[in-house]
Amino acid sequence: MDTIEKDVYVAYHGNSAAYIAMDEYDISRISTGFLIKSNNTVFGSNGFHQKAVLQTDFHWQMQELKVDVESLNIEMLASINHGKLYLQQKQANENFEKIIDLQHEKHFFLYSGALVIPMIWMRGFDFDNYEKVTYQMLPMGYAEVKQLCDPDSGQGIRHFSIMIYLQSFVDIIKAQTDMFGKLLYYYSETNQITIKIQS
C-alpha cells in the first residue's frame, strides 16, 4: 500500500480568520482502487474528533466508508453493492440499518463534519464535460455539478458550480480543483463556509 498524497484541509466560517475545523488526510493506492484516511477535528463548544476511512474504485467512486466519532459514541459503516447503499449506524445504545437504492450512476457520500470525504469524488469527474452532471448524495439528496469554461485554465485550475439539494435545503457552492480533480477551494454561499488546503 503506497501513500500517494498527504495534506491538510482547513475550514473557515464567514470572514473569520480563525478556522472552525481541520482535516489531516492521506491517500494510498490499493489493489482495487484508493484508500483515503481522514482525521477530522471540529472546533468549538460542540466540537468533536472524527476518523473516517473511505475505499473507492479507480474512478474514485465510493465502495465502502467507515466513520468513528468516539467522543459521541457513533460508528457508521456504509457500503455499495449491486446498485444499493447498505448503511449501518450505531449511536449510544441504538442500532440503525437502512438500504438505499442508487438512482444515479454517479454518487458520493456526505457525512456531517467530514471535510475530505465529500471532496474525493471530484477527482472522478469527466473533465472533458461542461454539461450539468447529477450526483446522488448519500444518504440523502442530490447535487448538480457544472464545470465552468475558464480562459485562465492554463493556470492549472478548474472551476465548478455546484448546487446541493437536501430536502428543503439548497446550497450554492463554488469550487476549484487542480487539473487532476484535487480540491483546492470550496465556498458554500448558504453556510458561509470556506474549505481550502492549509497554506
Side-chain angles (χ1 to χ4, degrees), residues 126-171:
D126 176 7
F127 299 116
D128 293 324
N129 180 17
Y130 289 87
E131 300 297 318
K132 182 173 68 180
V133 178
T134 301
Y135 284 77
Q136 185 172 352
M137 283 198 319
L138 306 172
M140 67 175 87
Y142 66 99
E144 294 174 344
V145 182
K146 193 171 191 308
Q147 184 177 194
L148 305 176
C149 293
D150 182 13
D152 298 327
S153 59
Q155 297 179 357
I157 296 176
R158 300 183 191 275
H159 297 264
F160 294 85
S161 171
I162 305 171
M163 297 284 287
I164 286 182
Y165 300 89
L166 285 169
Q167 295 174 341
S168 59
F169 174 80
V170 178
D171 198 0

Side-chain angles (χ1 to χ4, degrees), residues 38-104:
S38 164
N39 193 1
N40 178 243
T41 304
V42 176
F43 301 108
S45 56
N46 295 319
F48 57 90
H49 181 242
Q50 169 179 290
K51 290 186 177 181
V53 178
L54 172 69
Q55 287 185 45
T56 74
D57 63 16
F58 285 109
H59 303 289
W60 298 97
Q61 283 280 278
M62 183 193 114
Q63 302 301 303
E64 186 176 283
L65 173 64
K66 294 178 183 175
V67 178
D68 183 17
V69 189
E70 194 173 312
S71 61
L72 301 177
N73 200 18
I74 296 173
E75 290 179 37
M76 192 273 296
L77 172 63
S79 60
I80 303 289
N81 201 351
H82 301 298
K84 294 182 186 295
L85 169 75
Y86 295 85
L87 182 65
Q88 296 176 313
Q89 185 165 322
K90 296 177 184 175
Q91 186 166 355
N93 296 323
E94 292 183 37
N95 288 342
F96 171 88
E97 290 190 17
K98 193 169 186 180
I99 299 174
I100 300 169
D101 288 325
L102 297 183
Q103 298 162 354
H104 295 280

Side-chain angles (χ1 to χ4, degrees), residues 97-115:
E97 290 190 17
K98 193 169 186 180
I99 299 174
I100 300 169
D101 288 325
L102 297 183
Q103 298 162 354
H104 295 280
E105 179 187 342
K106 294 185 175 293
H107 53 268
F108 66 94
F109 207 96
L110 184 69
Y111 191 76
S112 176
L115 299 184

Side-chain angles (χ1 to χ4, degrees), residues 166-180:
L166 285 169
Q167 295 174 341
S168 59
F169 174 80
V170 178
D171 198 0
I172 302 165
I173 291 163
K174 295 174 184 171
Q176 295 175 3
T177 73
D178 67 10
M179 298 309 281
F180 304 101

